[in-house]
């Protein structure tokens, strides 16, 4: 059953609007909060000198591992649910039923995965073992930035690249004592990018 062109246009317009809105919101928040952040940082430094810190470096490392696992698990879940499964089912092939919707979801999931892996990489810096384990994957994670566009264009090899990077991140986490299991994000998390 062919999909009406009107419905296709509406879906594509909504996806583009969501992507543009999330990008625009992210940029305005960064520029407006820069001065406030600098002021807060100087005040916090003055307070830190006067008061003891409630968390030890061991607690900070534990929280870094926990945040790493949470972010990497969401990235792995999104990749598996909306990129790998449809790819293996042949949904990205030309003429496949539901191809357009599968590609739109894969594009959103790709952007979400990149965002969560960058957050996981930042979290890993708080733990020396995780930091060492993830260091070789920096270029691979950065290369994911271009893959959502490739997915939207129908490049099936991009799905395999996502799967490879996710598996490498999982292996790095496991070697550092932070085992990552897939956690499928909600639709609202996927569209918000976090």
């Amino acid at each position: 059953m062919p999909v009406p062109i009107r419905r296709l246009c509406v879906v594509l317009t909504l996806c583009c609007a969501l992507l543009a809105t999330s990008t625009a919101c992210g940029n305005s928040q960064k520029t407006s909060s820069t001065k406030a952040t600098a002021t807060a940082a100087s005040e916090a430094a003055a307070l830190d000198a006067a008061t003891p810190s409630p968390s030890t470096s061991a607690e900070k490392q534990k929280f870094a591992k926990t945040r790493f696992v949470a972010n990497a698990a969401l990235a792995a879940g999104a990749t598996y649910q909306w990129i790998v499964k449809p790819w293996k089912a042949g949904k990205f092939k030309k003429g496949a039923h539901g191809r357009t919707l599968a590609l739109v979801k894969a594009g959103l999931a790709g952007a979400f995965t990149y965002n969560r892996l960058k957050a996981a990489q930042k979290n890993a810096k708080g733990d020396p073992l995780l930091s060492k384990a993830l260091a070789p994957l920096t270029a691979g994670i950065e290369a994911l930035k271009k893959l959502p566009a490739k997915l939207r264009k129908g490049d099936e090899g991009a799905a395999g690249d996502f799967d490879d990077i996710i598996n490498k991140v999982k292996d790095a986490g496991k070697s550092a004592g932070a085992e990552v299991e897939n956690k499928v994000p909600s639709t609202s998390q996927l569209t918000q990018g976090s």
Side-chain angles (χ1 to χ4, degrees):
M1 178 173 167
V3 176
I5 193 78
R6 190 176 351 163
R7 185 181 301 164
L8 194 61
C9 290
V10 169
V11 169
L12 190 56
T13 303
L14 286 174
C15 289
C16 290
L18 284 172
L19 200 56
T21 304
S22 66
T23 304
C25 289
N27 289 340
S28 66
Q29 290 173 348
K30 287 179 187 172
T31 55
S32 65
S33 66
T34 305
K35 291 180 183 175
T37 304
T39 305
S42 63
E43 290 173 1
L47 284 175
D48 281 345
T51 59
S53 174
S55 59
T56 64
S57 62
E59 287 174 334
K60 287 180 184 176
Q61 287 178 1
K62 181 174 175 116
F63 292 136
K65 272 188 179 179
T66 304
R67 288 192 305 263
F68 165 80
V69 169
N71 283 317
L74 286 170
T79 298
Y80 182 74
Q81 183 69 28
W82 290 294
I83 297 174
V84 175
K85 265 175 60 176
W87 172 53
K88 288 181 177 178
K91 292 277 188 179
F92 298 151
K93 293 183 180 178
K94 290 190 185 225
H97 179 69
R99 177 178 187 255
T100 304
L101 185 59
L103 286 172
V104 169
K105 286 180 181 179
L108 282 172
F112 177 84
T113 297
Y114 174 74
N115 182 330
R116 292 298 87 206
L117 285 179
K118 289 300 282 183
Q121 192 175 25
K122 184 178 176 185
N123 299 141
K125 291 179 182 175
D127 182 72
L129 197 55
L130 265 175
S131 184
K132 266 190 211 176
L134 276 183
L137 301 177
T138 302
I141 291 171
E142 201 55 43
L144 291 180
K145 190 180 217 176
K146 298 173 187 167
L147 292 180
K150 288 183 178 181
L151 280 171
R152 279 185 243 115
K153 291 178 183 174
D155 182 359
E156 291 184 33
D161 293 342
F162 268 102
D163 196 29
D164 290 343
I165 292 295
I166 289 295
N167 288 330
K168 288 177 182 177
V169 168
K170 283 180 163 182
D171 291 342
K174 190 174 185 176
S175 72
E179 195 161 340
V180 176
E181 293 182 19
N182 293 1
K183 182 177 189 289
V184 178
S186 68
T187 307
S188 64
Q189 284 176 315
L190 187 67
T191 55
Q192 290 174 359
S194 59

